Amino acid sequence: IAEKVTSLGKDWHRPCLRCEKCNKTLTSGGHAEHDGKPYCNHPCYAALFGPKGFGRGGAESHTFK
């Protein structure tokens, strides 16, 4: 019970609450959600579901077509 965290409407073991993309361990309330799955806020959620092109920052901030 000491390792129980609640997030996305479910109870998780603390080590099981992980980012779907990079597998980083997340904290309850310290992450983003998409289609009921947890993602770390940066870089995974921002890269997958954030705005594309200029303004996001980083080496991949410009999208070439």
Side-chain angles (χ1 to χ4, degrees):
I1 193 90
E3 291 195 12
K4 180 177 110 174
V5 292
T6 302
S7 186
L8 307 176
K10 300 191 305 187
D11 292 331
W12 303 75
H13 289 106
R14 188 172 307 277
C16 294
L17 183 58
R18 295 182 169 273
C19 175
E20 282 289 311
K21 181 166 174 29
C22 72
N23 212 30
K24 181 172 100 176
T25 302
L26 305 171
T27 59
S28 181
H31 58 84
E33 173 268 334
H34 186 80
D35 288 336
K37 297 176 183 172
Y39 295 89
C40 56
N41 285 321
H42 189 76
C44 294
Y45 184 85
L48 292 170
F49 310 110
K52 305 293 185 228
F54 289 104
R56 192 171 59 115
E60 70 283 355
S61 66
H62 179 72
T63 303
F64 293 98
K65 294 186 183 196

